Amino acid sequence: MENILNKFSLQGKVALVTGGSYGIGMAVAKALAYAGARIAFNGRRANLIEEAEKEYKALGIDAKGYVFDITKEEQVNEFVPQIEKDFGGSVDILVNNAGIIKRIPATEMSVEEFRQVIDIDLTGAFIMSKAVAPAMIKKGGGKIINICSLMSELGRETVCAYAAAKGGLKMLTRNLACEWAEYNIQVNGIGPGYIATPQTAPLRERQADGSRHPFDQFIIAKTPAARWGVPEDLMGTSVFLASEASNFVNGQIIYVDGGILAYIGKQPK
Ligand code: NAP
Ligand code: GCO
């Protein structure tokens, strides 16, 4: 009898996870490694890359980190071939995870600040996808996973640039899926809900009196699962979208959000 779990194996695959030195990117990289992939990851800070390599190694994961900025096309076009040389083969799985957020009211956000978020969270994913796609086409296929967000669907105050970028990333996912499906490249997205990482730490800080941050309480109330997600909650979906188990899944965003998107809000008692 066939073992269905074989369809989730990533043995022999090379995965590149952007922003893999901590947070969601590190959890996704660990998941892909546990499924058999060899891991390349990047970030802009060399010290964090070095620390991350030690953390991966302590888990038995031989991940190699590279210091480059996904918004700098010349750096991307230097490092992707270097990764392919180091790993002895082209990138099979790209996870566009690297991203930032700026929480500033629209009337106070500068155009430069707006552009910086768009540049990293949206244009960076385009630059990375454009860099790996030719080799995927030549090889006969590949996987691209874009880390979108609840803000690909919903808005909230002070995150206009981020929501615009993540909404755009949803549509970039769908469009590249259409353009590259004939080459057996599946392009999909994961939409995490509110996940406890450094990016959301300011929203969870304990108040001076030891009480929970008001936003923390707000998210708990808006989440049917009544908890923040953790990066590990994204591991299974990552392996699914990176493996042959999803070979007929194209242009989909899978929301891993504890039910937030399905929820109208707690009804009055
Ligand atoms: P995080 O803790 O802030 O980590 C972001 C990662 O991206 C870091 O490794 C950072 O490393 C890297 N990075 C940022 N800009 C980069 C650039 N220009 N080039 C290369 N690397 C860059 O964020 P996170 O919470 O793990 O989130 C990861 C992704 O999930 C982001 O796209 C975020 O928008 C998305 N997301 C997060 C949540 C959440 O609740 N946490 C929910 C939905 C979606 P360096 O700064 O060293 O470069
Ligand atoms: C915020 C949060 C969110 C999460 C995530 C939700 O300020 O609202 O940072 O944007 O990061 O994107 O899915």
Side-chain angles (χ1 to χ4, degrees), residues 101 103 148-151 156 159 162 192-194 199-200 203 215:
I101 192 167
R103 301 183 180 97
C148 297
S149 160
L150 283 178
M151 302 306 155
R156 82 171 186 82
V159 293
Y162 182 83
Y194 279 82
Q199 190 244 51
T200 55
L203 305 175
F215 197 93

Side-chain angles (χ1 to χ4, degrees), residues 11 18 92 107 143 169 201 237 251 262:
Q11 287 296 340
T18 66
D92 300 293
T107 50
K143 298 283 187 177
L169 186 58
T237 307

Side-chain angles (χ1 to χ4, degrees), residues 193-195 212 216 219-233 256-258 260:
Y194 279 82
I195 312 293
R212 300 181 82 136
D216 181 353
I219 290 304
I220 298 293
K222 289 289 278 183
T223 308
R227 68 173 175 88
W228 283 73
V230 291
E232 289 70 25
D233 286 320
V256 183
D257 69 352
I260 292 183

Side-chain angles (χ1 to χ4, degrees), residues 116-188:
Q116 189 188 3
V117 175
I118 299 289
D119 209 21
I120 294 173
D121 293 11
L122 178 56
T123 312
F126 171 71
I127 293 171
M128 288 301 304
S129 302
K130 197 171 173 315
V132 304
M136 287 182 174
I137 291 170
K138 190 174 175 186
K139 197 173 193 177
K143 298 283 187 177
I144 296 176
I145 302 168
N146 294 324
I147 306 299
C148 297
S149 160
L150 283 178
M151 302 306 155
S152 297
E153 304 291 345
L154 300 173
R156 82 171 186 82
E157 302 84 351
T158 75
V159 293
C160 67
Y162 182 83
K166 292 299 187 179
L169 186 58
K170 174 178 77 171
M171 290 315 299
L172 179 66
T173 301
R174 289 184 175 161
N175 277 268
L176 294 183
C178 297
E179 204 159 322
W180 293 340
E182 67 178 288
Y183 303 111
N184 189 35
I185 298 171
Q186 291 82 48
V187 185
N188 292 290

Side-chain angles (χ1 to χ4, degrees), residues 102 104 108-118 161:
K102 288 186 184 297
I104 306 169
E108 298 167 26
M109 179 179 273
S110 71
V111 173
E112 179 48 38
E113 287 166 328
F114 184 93
R115 283 197 174 115
Q116 189 188 3
V117 175
I118 299 289

